[in-house]
Amino acid sequence: MMRKSLHALLSCFLLSGCDMIDYHPYDVRISGETEVNAHNIERIESNCKDKTTIRFATMGDSQRWYDETEDFVKAINKRNDIDFVIHGGDMSDFGLTKEFLWQRDIMNGLKIPYVVLIGNHDCLGTGEKTYEAVFGPTNFSFIAGNVKFICLNTNALEYDYSEPVPDFTFMEQELTDRQDEFDKTVISMHACPYTDVFNNNVIKVFQYYVKQYPGILFCTAAHTHHFRDDVIFDDGIHYVTSDCMDLRTYLVFTITPEKYEYELVKY
């Protein structure tokens, strides 16, 4: 009789206490929206179709700076002149599942679509799997107006040569994929050449592929936490790096038929 009572008591506890279960922080249990980049790319391409002037914002590392990221969302939502946002990676500090979900939910407050690149911190633990589940492939592209955006995983240090990072096969395929829909190119990455996580053994090959893209305009990056504008190679191509969100700034790029320009905005 006593054993039956204990069994019943334990069963009741387990059934009623499911919400109390604390899952492992790296369990990749995703609640809420998944495939965020794909959904937002559809919106970007639809909203920007046939536009000749494209204006977009880039932002840097947001790990740890939740309040600042929420204020960024509020600042962008007060504007009506920006088509989309590119998050340069490092949403998480430790690759924890909840970090991605918290940051995703903050960014989902934007009235305009956004895409997120993968950063080196996002690769920690099971972070890459969480990133892929929430946002999608680590290399992706989209077209806004007549501008193709190539978004690359450049966090080679986190992969121990187990995967091609940067993936030159992907870069080569993107040279001709949908080639009749674009005549200008922007390349975005988390870590640019000569930073500590980039595979600097292949920088000349990387530069070669970058230069092959039609109408290459400039590259965007994050990772270093400080705004920079560098011409890394002797090719005139600028690599423009965003501040981290702790510094409460973002960059706004405007691409017109004749030129491009950008400004550093404080909020």
Side-chain angles (χ1 to χ4, degrees):
M1 185 65 180
M2 179 64 75
R3 291 182 62 184
K4 287 184 177 178
S5 297
L6 287 172
H7 184 268
L9 181 63
L10 180 60
S11 298
C12 290
F13 173 76
L14 291 174
L15 290 172
S16 63
C18 289
D19 291 341
M20 298 173 64
I21 294 174
D22 191 9
Y23 293 102
H24 194 282
Y26 287 111
D27 62 8
V28 198
R29 292 174 62 91
I30 307 302
S31 60
E33 185 182 6
T34 58
E35 300 183 42
V36 172
N37 283 349
H39 298 158
N40 284 334
I41 284 172
E42 285 185 13
R43 295 172 60 196
I44 292 170
E45 295 201 350
S46 175
N47 295 346
C48 296
K49 185 175 176 58
D50 299 327
K51 291 189 71 171
T52 56
T53 295
I54 302 297
R55 182 171 291 117
F56 65 98
T58 64
M59 55 184 285
D61 309 45
S62 61
Q63 75 272 42
R64 298 196 298 270
W65 298 295
Y66 293 88
D67 291 343
E68 291 80 357
T69 306
E70 287 182 344
D71 290 343
F72 162 80
V73 169
K74 293 175 184 175
I76 292 293
N77 283 345
K78 291 178 181 177
R79 306 178 58 143
N80 59 6
D81 60 340
I82 296 178
D83 294 307
F84 57 91
V85 171
I86 296 177
H87 188 305
D90 275 359
M91 287 193 121
S92 74
D93 206 10
F94 305 105
L96 301 177
T97 300
K98 285 190 175 178
E99 289 181 299
F100 286 99
L101 302 186
W102 290 332
Q103 294 268 348
R104 176 205 60 190
D105 291 346
I106 292 172
M107 294 293 289
N108 276 352
L110 284 167
K111 295 177 181 178
I112 57 175
Y114 69 96
V115 295
V116 178
L117 279 67
I118 189 169
N120 59 303
H121 281 253
D122 298 327
C123 298
L124 300 177
T126 55
E128 183 191 12
K129 292 186 181 301
T130 304
Y131 171 90
E132 290 177 331
V134 177
F135 296 105
T138 60
N139 294 295
F140 61 94
S141 69
F142 60 93
I143 295 176
N146 63 342
V147 184
K148 189 170 196 177
F149 289 79
I150 309 294
C151 300
L152 300 175
N153 176 6
T154 57
N155 309 295
L157 181 67
E158 307 299 336
Y159 287 84
D160 298 327
Y161 302 105
S162 58
E163 295 182 29
V165 180
D167 187 339
F168 295 127
T169 300
F170 174 82
M171 293 183 73
E172 191 170 77
Q173 291 170 345
E174 290 298 319
L175 286 169
T176 55
D177 185 43
R178 303 174 67 185
Q179 61 182 346
D180 58 336
E181 299 179 51
F182 71 100
D183 55 25
K184 297 175 182 174
T185 308
V186 172
I187 298 180
S188 294
M189 65 203 80
H190 178 66
C192 66
Y194 290 117
T195 57
D196 55 344
V197 302
F198 197 92
N199 182 358
N200 290 309
N201 285 322
V202 299
I203 56 173
K204 290 187 178 180
V205 182
F206 183 78
Q207 181 201 15
Y208 169 80
Y209 277 108
V210 168
K211 290 170 60 179
Q212 302 310 305
Y213 281 97
I216 179 71
L217 295 174
F218 55 89
C219 298
T220 71
H223 181 57
T224 59
H225 290 204
H226 292 286
F227 164 70
R228 296 178 61 97
D229 184 344
D230 299 306
V231 178
I232 296 176
F233 306 105
D234 186 23
D235 56 11
I237 299 172
H238 288 250
Y239 289 73
V240 187
T241 300
S242 298
D243 283 326
C244 65
M245 300 312 290
D246 185 36
L247 300 179
R248 290 181 173 273
T249 73
Y250 60 90
L251 292 163
V252 174
F253 291 85
T254 304
I255 301 173
T256 69
E258 296 80 22
K259 63 179 182 179
Y260 80 86
E261 59 187 12
Y262 72 85
E263 63 175 326
L264 179 67
V265 181
K266 295 185 177 181
Y267 66 91

